[in-house]
Amino acid sequence: MMKQVFYVFLLSIAILFTSCYPKKKLTYIQEDESGLNLYENVRKPKTIQPQDYLYIKVFSLEPSVSEIFQSRNSNMGSDTKLLSYQVNESGVINFPFIGDIDVNNLTIQEAQIKIQDQLSKYLNNISVTVRFIGNKLTILGEVNSPGSYQYYDDKINVFEAIGLASGIGTYGDKSKVIVVREFKNQIKYHEIDLTSRKVAISEYYYLLPNDIVFVTPIHAKYRTYRDLSLYSTLLSTVSTFITVLYFITK
């Protein structure tokens, strides 16, 4: 009798530490029926929008001109926002010597040419470099290091973004990742599947500044928490039963 009860006790422990995780939701980029290995995603270059921050560097053969722009940067420390020009709600930046410049919906290359052309009216032998600065993404949910992250590339894909957050955690559902995007005062939610190779052709494969990426948990996480409570109660009951039975039969 005691031996049978002991086996029940061992079985309860085995159930407690056994959990079934849906592999299909935990593996990146799985094989699909099509067998394709090549997908095309032609993404237009990001254009400058209101609230963007632009880093603008002016180079000149004349030391006095270079000194003007270098002194501005040196007086502003290392804060990326202070080192940059913010695009206002109308898509305009205010630049020395020129004043207001409309850069709305221009690519970085187009803005660079426009600023250099207008600056050349006042200064000779100059060249201008423009790039985005202070681009930010927020990664939340079942990732190892949730938070807000800055990046400086013209574009970043969803896998690179999740890499900034040290990857998806144990309970993260790779088949259900939500991208939250604001555009023209509208908030749009879009679900992408990182287990599918077709994610490469999604319009949300490449992220935009200020996007929010939320990794949802798999249902097994909640089942585990629920079952742990249930199994703990069961284990306690079995242990008590064995103890009582031991003293009765002794």
Side-chain angles (χ1 to χ4, degrees), residues 61-122:
L61 295 177
E62 300 179 17
S64 58
V65 174
S66 296
E67 186 176 347
I68 293 173
F69 293 98
Q70 288 176 0
S71 62
R72 176 187 184 275
N73 290 343
S74 62
N75 290 334
M76 292 189 175
S78 58
D79 189 317
T80 55
K81 291 185 178 181
L82 293 178
L83 285 171
S84 60
Y85 296 84
Q86 184 179 17
V87 183
N88 68 20
E89 289 293 343
S90 301
V92 171
I93 61 171
N94 186 272
F95 199 76
F97 294 99
I98 304 173
D100 289 344
I101 306 176
D102 186 358
V103 293
N104 195 39
N105 290 322
L106 298 182
T107 66
I108 284 294
Q109 291 73 24
E110 291 170 341
Q112 182 173 298
I113 293 171
K114 185 172 186 178
I115 294 170
Q116 183 168 309
D117 287 346
Q118 295 198 28
L119 199 56
S120 295
K121 298 176 182 177
Y122 306 94

Side-chain angles (χ1 to χ4, degrees), residues 56-227:
I56 303 174
K57 177 72 172 179
V58 178
F59 300 91
S60 174
L61 295 177
E62 300 179 17
S64 58
V65 174
S66 296
E67 186 176 347
I68 293 173
F69 293 98
Q70 288 176 0
S71 62
R72 176 187 184 275
N73 290 343
S74 62
N75 290 334
M76 292 189 175
S78 58
D79 189 317
T80 55
K81 291 185 178 181
L82 293 178
L83 285 171
S84 60
Y85 296 84
Q86 184 179 17
V87 183
N88 68 20
E89 289 293 343
S90 301
V92 171
I93 61 171
N94 186 272
F95 199 76
F97 294 99
I98 304 173
D100 289 344
I101 306 176
D102 186 358
V103 293
N104 195 39
N105 290 322
L106 298 182
T107 66
I108 284 294
Q109 291 73 24
E110 291 170 341
Q112 182 173 298
I113 293 171
K114 185 172 186 178
I115 294 170
Q116 183 168 309
D117 287 346
Q118 295 198 28
L119 199 56
S120 295
K121 298 176 182 177
Y122 306 94
L123 302 171
N124 298 320
N125 301 317
I126 56 124
S127 129
V128 176
T129 297
V130 180
R131 62 186 176 93
F132 290 109
I133 190 171
N135 289 336
K136 184 182 72 172
L137 290 170
T138 301
I139 322 290
L140 300 173
E142 295 298 317
V143 292
N144 292 311
S145 299
S148 294
Y149 295 89
Q150 285 193 342
Y151 68 98
Y152 300 95
D153 296 327
D154 181 33
K155 61 182 180 179
I156 184 171
N157 64 50
V158 64
F159 292 107
E160 292 171 323
I162 289 175
L164 295 176
S166 301
I168 293 178
T170 303
Y171 292 103
D173 188 346
K174 296 180 177 67
S175 69
K176 192 175 182 181
V177 176
I178 309 297
V179 176
V180 184
R181 179 170 297 171
E182 180 178 357
F183 183 70
K184 293 184 178 179
N185 297 320
Q186 293 184 333
I187 309 298
K188 186 174 182 179
Y189 295 80
H190 188 82
E191 186 177 304
I192 57 177
D193 183 357
L194 299 186
T195 70
S196 171
R197 297 191 175 196
K198 293 181 181 179
V199 68
I201 58 176
S202 167
E203 66 173 302
Y204 287 85
Y205 177 72
Y206 288 108
L207 301 176
L208 296 178
N210 301 316
D211 277 355
I212 300 172
V213 179
F214 183 82
V215 179
T216 60
I218 56 176
H219 293 302
K221 178 176 183 177
Y222 299 109
R223 288 202 303 269
T224 298
Y225 290 153
R226 179 196 63 196
D227 294 345

Side-chain angles (χ1 to χ4, degrees), residues 30-39 196-198:
Q30 300 169 32
E31 293 283 351
D32 58 25
E33 296 178 357
S34 67
L36 292 177
N37 289 313
L38 180 63
Y39 295 86
S196 171
R197 297 191 175 196
K198 293 181 181 179

Side-chain angles (χ1 to χ4, degrees), residues 11-22:
L11 179 60
S12 300
I13 295 178
I15 293 173
L16 176 64
F17 291 102
T18 301
S19 58
C20 180
Y21 298 105

